[in-house]
Amino acid sequence: MLQLENLSYQVPDASDSQREIIKNLNLTIDDHRFIVITGPNGGGKSTLAKLIMGIEQPTEGRILFNGKDITRLSVTERAKCGISFAFQQPVRFKGIKVKDLITLAAGDALSTAGACEYLSKVGLCARDYINRDVDASLSGGELKRIEIATVIARNTPLSVFDEPEAGIDLWSFNNLIKVFEELRDTGDHRSLIIISHQERILNIADEIVVIADGRVKAQGRKEDILPELLQDTGSCRFYQEVQE
């Protein structure tokens, strides 16, 4: 279980005062759930994901994971606790092969066949990618799917994906939906949190959390929350990017 208690996050602004991005936010994510966090751009969604992973540190409040206070733990320490994170813009690693990256994620000796299996899960031909460098020669969509393969390989109790649809083509997006559906249907032991404003991702969630102006505006079952979002003409703008 992930618990965010009275969480706040501030950054300096141009006038040398503090601008509050996350505002006394409270949120509980139960185990074995597929959660999509959505809301308007600039509302604090990606910042919240970075706070969960420890990339940013909250100004106030606590973060508990399975009853343990992880508020001041580093990214590495949180990863050891069982949290994985996929960036909106995946990191490139010059000089590291795809196979090596997946093996590192799996945390033990992994055969080439085992690494190839993870690539196949995200729709990549293993023969074409297993020995490639994780560098600028890969497209954004390719990097995104390789990163997702590493998250699957880690097999942690909680995985957080920050706007996984960003910067990928329609074919990759369609394949991405299939990957998340498989994780939802076969990952009984893990929880997924996806930051997204795409309707097709929202539509496969167990639960939707709406974040706006740094606060939780709504939380509940997809069946209850999604119709309200789709009826809101302002919210409908969030779903157009990939579909068009």
Side-chain angles (χ1 to χ4, degrees):
M1 177 184 291
L2 179 70
Q3 297 166 278
L4 311 180
E5 298 182 349
N6 304 314
L7 209 64
S8 295
Y9 177 70
Q10 299 176 342
V11 295
D13 64 15
S15 62
D16 292 329
S17 60
Q18 295 292 311
R19 182 165 66 95
E20 200 168 26
I21 308 298
I22 301 296
K23 305 174 181 178
N24 196 36
L25 183 147
N26 289 278
L27 179 64
T28 297
I29 304 295
D30 291 327
D31 293 335
H32 319 306
R33 303 293 288 168
F34 187 116
I35 309 295
V36 177
I37 297 178
T38 193
N41 291 331
K45 305 184 301 296
S46 290
T47 297
L48 184 62
K50 291 175 182 177
L51 290 170
I52 291 171
M53 192 65 233
I55 297 168
E56 303 288 356
Q57 291 291 327
T59 308
E60 296 179 2
R62 296 199 307 165
I63 303 174
L64 305 176
F65 183 55
N66 293 333
K68 178 180 179 179
D69 189 337
I70 64 170
T71 311
R72 300 303 166 191
L73 295 187
S74 67
V75 173
T76 300
E77 290 169 324
R78 295 189 199 202
K80 290 178 179 178
C81 287
I83 303 176
S84 295
F85 187 85
F87 289 89
Q88 185 178 139
Q89 298 296 330
V91 179
R92 299 177 189 270
F93 299 94
K94 185 177 180 179
I96 297 181
K97 303 291 185 185
V98 170
K99 178 182 181 297
D100 296 331
L101 187 62
I102 296 176
T103 300
L104 285 171
D108 54 17
L110 189 67
S111 67
T112 299
C116 289
E117 184 176 345
Y118 288 118
L119 288 174
S120 297
K121 286 179 182 293
V122 296
L124 293 177
C125 176
R127 179 183 58 195
D128 295 337
Y129 288 93
I130 196 68
N131 290 314
R132 289 185 64 177
D133 287 334
V134 188
D135 59 13
S137 67
L138 295 168
S139 70
E142 290 169 331
L143 274 173
K144 186 74 60 121
R145 282 185 279 168
I146 289 167
E147 182 182 49
I148 292 171
T150 64
V151 172
I152 295 172
R154 287 208 69 219
N155 195 30
T156 52
L158 175 63
S159 297
V160 182
F161 298 84
D162 185 11
E163 296 198 24
E165 72 275 8
I168 64 173
D169 56 75
L170 183 58
W171 188 92
S172 296
F173 179 69
N174 289 334
N175 194 75
L176 188 68
I177 295 296
K178 295 177 183 178
V179 171
F180 287 140
E181 286 176 329
E182 183 177 350
L183 289 175
R184 178 199 62 194
D185 295 340
T186 62
D188 293 338
H189 58 292
R190 76 171 96 191
S191 294
L192 302 176
I193 297 176
I194 300 180
I195 310 297
S196 180
H197 50 61
Q198 297 300 332
E199 182 181 350
R200 287 183 59 191
I201 293 179
L202 290 163
N203 202 46
I204 61 175
D206 296 321
E207 189 174 329
I208 294 174
V209 177
V210 181
I211 302 289
D213 193 30
R215 297 182 174 92
V216 175
K217 297 298 184 181
Q219 179 180 6
R221 298 185 313 151
K222 170 194 65 181
E223 292 81 5
D224 298 327
I225 301 296
L226 186 54
E228 296 182 14
L229 287 177
L230 296 178
Q231 288 173 9
D232 185 339
T233 55
S235 294
C236 286
R237 293 196 303 271
F238 308 149
Y239 308 135
Q240 294 174 357
E241 181 180 340
V242 167
Q243 291 179 346
E244 293 179 351

